[in-house]
């Protein structure tokens, strides 16, 4: 049984509403030459009218369905962060992919109850794929229908397939640690953002290792990976909802050995 007092089905129903509302905005701008603004900082941090519009649409639904809940999104200031329920929103995870026309971005919708991630949705509307977690399992719906997500068995680093969004996210000692891990696996690939975690949940990938994550980058993905049979931790073995440096594995037996490689 769930430890979430509100009926889980109500939360999940609203989460799907949010994904549908966000997709109406993001698809209307995708591959249309939409300009990206720079949020600031030393490296290009893009944001588009689609990011802002999709988050506004999702926030409006949360205010209507659950007015007492908190909201922590990427594009606008947090609301009621001390609430028992907080919605974590990333309207376009992978904005760099979005503005270059690559369909490996997604909308992330998570729910935390008393600080613990309990529900996640990752939606890729252009391809027509959606991943989500319920109380017992993780699910995928795509062009070929509905199926349960299950990670695959892979207890050896030498057999593992690893991904990360970009090598640019690893600097200084983080780069050294990541290279140590990546040098121990069968294959590494870059690119994917949130989409890589969906592939891990489907048993296509064994490890996703990343750094410089914000909570809205990872909160929605934690329940999906865990309900599919995987594990998500920080590089120091802590709970991942605080973000920063995180690792997801499909086979929990791979976690300790992967963390050992990261730590050296």
């Amino acid at each position: 049984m769930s430890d979430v007092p509100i009926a889980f089905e109500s939360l999940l129903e609203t989460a799907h509403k949010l994904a549908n509302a966000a997709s109406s905005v993001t698809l209307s701008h995708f591959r249309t030459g939409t300009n990206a603004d720079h949020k600031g900082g030393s490296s290009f941090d893009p944001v588009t009218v689609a990011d802002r519009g999709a988050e506004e649409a999702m926030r409006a639904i949360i205010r209507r369905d659950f007015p007492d809940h908190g909201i922590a999104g990427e594009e606008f200031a947090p609301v009621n962060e001390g609430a028992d329920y907080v919605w974590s929103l990333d309207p376009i995870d992978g904005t760099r992919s979005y503005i270059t026309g690559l369909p490996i971005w997604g909308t992330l919708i998570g729910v935390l109850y008393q600080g613990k991630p309990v529900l996640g949705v990752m939606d890729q509307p252009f391809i027509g794929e959606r991943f989500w977690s319920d109380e017992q399992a993780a699910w995928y719906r795509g062009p070929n229908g509905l199926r349960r997500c299950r990670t695959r068995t892979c207890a050896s680093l030498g057999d593992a397939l690893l991904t990360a969004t970009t090598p640019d996210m690893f600097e200084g000692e983080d780069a050294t640690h990541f290279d140590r891990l990546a040098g121990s696996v069968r294959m590494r690939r870059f690119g994917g953002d949130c989409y890589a975690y969906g592939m891990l949940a489907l048993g296509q990938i064994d490890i996703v290792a990343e750094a410089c994550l914000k909570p809205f980058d990872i909160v929605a993905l934690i329940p999906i990976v865990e309900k599919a049979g995987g594990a998500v931790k920080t590089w120091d073995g802590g709970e991942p909802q605080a973000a920063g440096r995180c690792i997801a594995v499909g086979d929990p037996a791979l976690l300790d050995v992967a963390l050992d490689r990261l730590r050296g």
Side-chain angles (χ1 to χ4, degrees):
M1 297 295 292
S2 171
D3 60 355
V4 180
I6 289 179
F8 192 94
E9 292 79 5
S10 297
L11 296 171
L12 185 57
E13 180 182 3
T14 293
H16 283 299
K17 290 180 188 175
L18 302 188
N20 294 338
S23 70
S24 296
V25 178
T26 56
L27 290 179
S28 68
H29 294 281
F30 187 52
R31 294 183 179 172
T32 63
T34 298
N35 292 325
D37 298 325
H38 177 32
K39 292 182 182 180
S42 58
S43 61
F44 181 47
D45 189 5
V47 61
T48 70
V49 63
D51 292 87
R52 298 186 181 106
E55 185 166 324
E56 287 174 338
M58 291 191 288
R59 283 174 177 253
I61 293 171
I62 296 168
R63 288 194 297 267
R64 182 193 68 201
D65 287 6
F66 297 109
D68 296 331
H69 288 194
I71 304 174
E74 180 175 13
E75 306 305 339
F76 300 101
V79 174
N80 197 17
E81 285 187 295
D84 276 353
Y85 297 93
V86 176
W87 293 77
S88 173
L89 306 177
D90 191 347
I92 301 177
D93 183 81
T95 302
R96 291 174 179 83
S97 293
Y98 183 89
I99 63 177
T100 52
L102 301 174
I104 49 175
W105 50 274
T107 296
L108 297 180
I109 300 157
V111 178
L112 298 107
Y113 176 65
Q114 296 182 349
K116 178 183 178 181
V118 294
L119 182 155
V121 173
M122 190 280 275
D123 190 49
Q124 210 315 306
F126 185 77
I127 300 174
E129 296 183 319
R130 184 173 297 181
F131 300 79
W132 70 92
S133 64
D134 63 19
E135 292 178 283
Q136 304 297 330
W139 300 92
Y140 162 83
R141 186 175 67 231
N144 293 324
L146 179 69
R147 61 186 276 198
R148 183 170 178 174
C149 295
R150 297 183 188 274
T151 60
R152 68 183 178 191
T153 300
C154 179
S156 169
L157 279 180
D159 295 327
L161 308 182
L162 177 149
T163 69
T165 294
T166 172
D168 296 339
M169 64 172 35
F170 305 108
E171 299 180 348
E173 290 188 358
D174 284 355
T176 300
H177 297 316
F178 175 79
D179 287 344
R180 185 184 301 116
L181 173 64
S184 303
V185 302
R186 172 170 291 180
M187 185 182 78
R188 69 175 178 180
R189 297 287 294 174
F190 292 106
D193 294 285
C194 60
Y195 194 75
Y197 294 83
M199 293 302 99
L200 185 142
L202 282 180
Q204 298 294 127
I205 294 169
D206 303 299
I207 306 173
V208 183
E210 304 202 282
C212 306
L213 298 181
K214 301 293 192 298
F216 48 73
D217 294 320
I218 192 69
V219 163
L221 299 167
I222 296 168
I224 295 172
V225 170
E226 291 181 343
K227 296 296 185 180
V232 190
K233 294 291 183 182
T234 61
W235 287 14
D236 61 4
E239 295 305 310
Q241 52 265 35
R245 303 180 302 170
C246 293
I247 182 169
V249 296
D251 186 340
L254 195 61
L255 181 62
D256 285 343
V257 66
L259 289 175
D260 285 345
R261 295 301 293 166
L262 283 171
R263 297 166 182 156

